[in-house]
Amino acid sequence: MSTSHDTHTASPYDITGTEAWRALAEEYRRVEPRHLRELFASDPQRAQRFTTQAADLTLDYSKNRLTAETVERLVALAEAAGLREKIDAMFRGDHINITEDRAVLHTALRLPRSASLVVDGQDVVADVHNVLDRMEAFATKVRSGEWVGHSGKSIRTIVNIGIGGSDLGPVMAYEALRDYADRSLECRFVSNIDPTDVFEKVHDLDLETTLFIVASKTFGTAETLTNAKQARTWLLEAFNGDEAAVAKHFVAVSTNAQRVADFGIDTDNMFGFWDWVGGRYSYDSAVGLALMLSVGPDNFREMLAGFHAMDEHFRTADFAENVPVLMGLLNVWYNNFFGTSSRAVLPYSQYLLRFPAYLQQLTMESNGKSVRVDGTSVAQSASGDLVQTGEIFWGEPGTNGQHAFYQLLHQGTKLTPADFIGFAQPNHDLGSMHDLFMSNFFAQTAALAFGKTAEEVTAEGTAADIVPHRVMPGNRPTNTILAERLTPSVLGQLVALYEHITFTQSVIWGINAFDQWGVELGKQMALQFEPMLTSAEAPEYTADGSTNALIASYRAMRGR
Ligand code: F6P
């Protein structure tokens, strides 16, 4: 969609007004007609030239539609956007989340104990390690059986009750690090206010050996509080109404001690974090308590060290070798110049089953914005075009995805760049299965990049009328991230990588990646609508015509 140049309001955050943006628009015209086959043929060093390293992750980005000149121009774009200064401002604790007047310091959650960072007069490193130490002491007691439930039995099941950032990170990491878990301790995750969720996760449990973690940054989220109240009711039923059981079976993770106390959880059993940790950036805080209980404090701390290694790379590496910066810039390259709207993230690890879902909140809640930091609309731009923000992230582990949606990636009309993530060493080596698995990983990116021409298809003896159907166009861009093994550290590195990719994109687009006002309206309306659904008398229908009629039908089906 284009808007007229006349409507442009000059914004210092409008990247399209920079020379760097114009240079990339010109670069797009030069690069777009070229095929990856030709780009590889013309540069025997291409794979080496476009491979770089961050901590334990190797990124090969040579199968992207770019030349060395493109990379230079993308790096110039990052400089024009002031990315270096903005990285420094974030790590320093400036209040870069301007709509909530908050620092953004998830990077402080993984600073080593010896580091120092004072923000708003507070030593945040000391605070972080104080909570980590308390989590460790608690986790050690639960894991050793020293912490017992109200009837004296040790804990066998942890139920984490939370939603969004208080669920997606813990559950993703719990699945990712199953191989490091104490298998005698099961974790379950309740998030949805759909009553079937809490029912299915709790109904078959022995509540005498169950610990509930109520995780909520605000401790005001309807889903979490509703599920937690239900769990509390069942717990009290199991203990014949003995309120003293709550202290042994409920702990809280929150920034809001008062609300935790109001709910009835002893604040001695609360693990805190701070308003400078965004929900979707929080599972390396106390929000990761369920994970720590599962994998143990040492593995949790190893994961934090992995996060920190990626933070240091992001903070210090030259942009031309900086993996999060390069990947963020590539996302901008396709999103804003090639006009793509989504990116597939395809982990070749069943353990990373929930990684794409986790990334959806991280990236889309962060960058799904259409107003810049200074309040100007991204529709008002010097280029005259609406500046597309907020890519759609999606994906599934390979090889499952290959038998589902890869057809569209290979031969569909929509260009969909993809990140392939794989590991050399399997967590479980069963005969030749891992090599077979990984041969798929390598085959897919090669097929996407180079395809198969009509001549090649014909030479295989394919009937002429079938040839067009079997031609593989290729020229489909991918990144390949390869690491030796999925360890706690590597998981931390991967998550920090995508956090910083997200930040890089937000800086280019001039938007605030750290608020989420867009989710509020629906929440408020749900509260307003509830009485219309439940009132004993015919309600006063106050919604729009469509919604009123739907609610009336719903009431009829519910016999109201
Ligand atoms: O509704 C969105 C959101 O605010 C997320 O940003 C957040 O992760 C989630 O809800 C849960 O919030 P809380 O941890 O405060 O319960």
Side-chain angles (χ1 to χ4, degrees):
M1 186 176 96
S2 283
T3 57
S4 140
H5 283 263
D6 308 324
T7 60
H8 170 59
T9 310
S11 162
Y13 296 94
D14 174 15
I15 192 71
T16 72
T18 61
E19 188 43 45
W21 187 270
R22 278 188 286 278
L24 275 165
E26 191 186 290
E27 181 68 4
Y28 168 73
R29 286 190 286 279
R30 225 186 340 254
V31 169
E32 195 280 332
R34 302 187 68 182
H35 198 287
L36 281 166
R37 279 186 216 122
E38 178 220 326
L39 292 171
F40 270 85
S42 65
D43 179 6
Q45 293 304 309
R46 185 174 171 89
Q48 290 75 6
R49 194 183 308 289
F50 299 124
T51 294
T52 184
Q53 185 84 20
D56 299 315
L57 308 185
T58 302
L59 167 69
D60 176 338
Y61 64 104
S62 63
K63 294 192 188 84
N64 278 287
R65 295 174 61 176
L66 50 78
T67 66
E69 175 85 34
T70 318
V71 177
E72 276 171 33
R73 291 183 182 208
L74 285 168
V75 166
L77 186 74
E79 279 155 6
L83 180 61
R84 176 67 64 203
E85 299 76 53
K86 289 179 174 132
I87 292 173
D88 290 345
M90 177 170 74
F91 277 76
R92 199 165 55 218
D94 288 6
H95 286 211
I96 61 171
N97 176 359
I98 54 120
T99 64
E100 296 176 302
D101 190 20
R102 287 176 182 166
V104 173
L105 271 178
H106 42 278
T107 51
L109 296 170
R110 48 264 191 163
L111 280 172
R113 202 183 288 276
S114 56
S116 119
L117 181 64
V118 176
V119 174
D120 302 331
Q122 189 65 23
D123 180 349
V124 297
V125 181
D127 289 349
V128 163
H129 283 272
N130 179 20
V131 174
L132 276 174
D133 292 344
R134 287 189 57 235
M135 288 167 65
E136 172 162 358
F138 177 69
T140 304
K141 276 193 202 155
V142 173
R143 286 165 63 85
S144 68
E146 188 189 333
W147 178 283
V148 289
H150 192 51
S151 54
K153 293 184 185 169
S154 55
I155 300 299
R156 300 275 43 100
T157 312
I158 315 290
V159 179
N160 187 84
I161 301 176
I163 196 166
S166 299
D167 168 71
L168 288 162
V171 72
M172 177 281 290
Y174 173 72
E175 294 293 343
L177 299 180
R178 287 300 285 140
D179 202 31
Y180 299 84
D182 173 351
R183 304 273 183 165
S184 68
L185 208 54
E186 188 195 356
C187 293
R188 297 184 181 185
F189 295 84
V190 174
S191 53
N192 203 331
I193 201 165
D194 177 346
T196 55
D197 195 14
V198 70
F199 174 80
E200 286 297 341
K201 305 284 173 46
V202 178
H203 82 100
D204 60 344
L205 291 179
D206 173 1
L207 295 183
E208 292 183 50
T209 61
T210 299
L211 176 77
F212 293 96
I213 300 174
V214 186
S216 174
K217 178 177 172 180
T218 53
F219 231 75
T221 303
E223 287 90 338
T224 301
L225 296 187
T226 307
N227 280 319
K229 276 182 199 142
Q230 182 58 52
R232 195 171 180 279
T233 302
W234 282 330
L235 183 86
L236 291 179
E237 276 169 20
F239 284 104
N240 300 318
D242 186 352
E243 294 270 348
V246 174
K248 286 288 171 195
H249 293 269
F250 269 81
V251 298
V253 173
S254 186
T255 59
N256 194 322
Q258 186 57 53
R259 285 185 180 167
V260 169
D262 292 347
F263 181 85
I265 297 178
D266 187 344
T267 48
D268 283 351
N269 295 338
M270 167 180 161
F271 300 88
F273 62 115
W274 308 272
D275 71 358
W276 42 260
V277 184
R280 54 194 174 272
Y281 298 85
S282 70
Y283 96 80
D284 46 338
S285 71
V287 171
L289 183 62
L291 176 68
M292 189 192 269
L293 285 160
S294 171
V295 300
D298 290 348
N299 282 318
F300 193 86
R301 287 186 194 273
E302 187 197 313
M303 182 187 76
L304 295 182
F307 271 98
H308 181 62
M310 186 58 69
D311 294 343
E312 284 304 282
H313 170 85
F314 180 54
R315 194 175 66 77
T316 60
D318 285 349
F319 288 168
E321 276 142 35
N322 193 312
V323 172
V325 170
L326 287 169
M327 288 180 70
L329 289 170
L330 284 170
N331 293 357
V332 170
W333 177 231
Y334 293 114
N335 185 70
N336 295 91
F337 295 93
F338 285 75
T340 63
S341 53
S342 83
R343 169 164 293 269
V345 179
L346 308 168
Y348 275 63
S349 165
Q350 191 61 26
Y351 282 129
L352 289 177
L353 172 74
R354 297 298 301 270
F355 193 60
Y358 168 74
L359 288 187
Q360 286 183 329
Q361 188 200 16
L362 174 65
T363 61
M364 291 158 71
E365 201 173 73
S366 292
N367 284 341
K369 315 282 165 68
S370 44
V371 167
R372 299 188 191 94
V373 170
D374 61 359
T376 57
S377 165
V378 295
Q380 298 170 322
S381 75
S383 68
D385 294 324
L386 178 138
V387 180
Q388 289 285 350
T389 65
E391 277 179 293
I392 298 159
F393 279 72
W394 59 282
E396 280 285 322
T399 59
N400 290 3
Q402 289 177 206
H403 299 272
F405 51 79
Y406 278 39
Q407 168 62 35
L408 182 146
L409 301 183
H410 284 288
Q411 286 187 314
T413 55
K414 292 187 175 55
L415 186 69
T416 305
D419 296 344
F420 281 70
I421 302 169
F423 304 93
Q425 299 288 355
N427 290 78
H428 303 283
D429 207 354
L430 304 176
S432 57
M433 275 181 81
H434 187 72
D435 295 324
L436 191 55
F437 178 46
M438 288 302 285
S439 58
N440 278 274
F441 174 80
F442 297 116
Q444 287 299 326
T445 57
L448 285 162
F450 306 114
K452 204 183 229 185
T453 62
E455 293 72 43
E456 287 166 337
V457 175
T458 305
E460 287 172 345
T462 308
D465 57 335
I466 302 300
V467 168
H469 298 279
R470 300 193 58 170
V471 167
M472 300 283 280
N475 219 16
R476 316 262 157 150
T478 58
N479 290 316
T480 299
I481 296 170
L482 189 62
E484 194 175 322
R485 186 189 288 271
L486 179 56
T487 61
S489 169
V490 164
L491 180 69
Q493 293 171 37
L494 275 171
V495 174
L497 167 64
Y498 280 90
E499 287 176 350
H500 300 323
I501 290 170
T502 303
F503 181 64
T504 299
Q505 290 178 258
S506 75
V507 168
I508 304 294
W509 293 325
I511 58 179
N512 177 8
F514 303 107
D515 58 13
Q516 58 284 321
W517 299 107
V519 295
E520 293 306 320
L521 178 61
K523 287 188 200 170
Q524 286 163 15
M525 288 170 68
L527 289 178
Q528 284 163 13
F529 286 5
E530 203 212 345
M532 277 195 269
L533 274 60
T534 55
S535 66
E537 303 298 316
E540 190 193 338
Y541 286 105
T542 54
D544 60 276
S546 160
T547 310
N548 286 341
L550 286 166
I551 292 175
S553 299
Y554 172 86
R555 285 181 62 95
M557 289 182 220
R558 295 281 280 164
R560 290 179 190 141

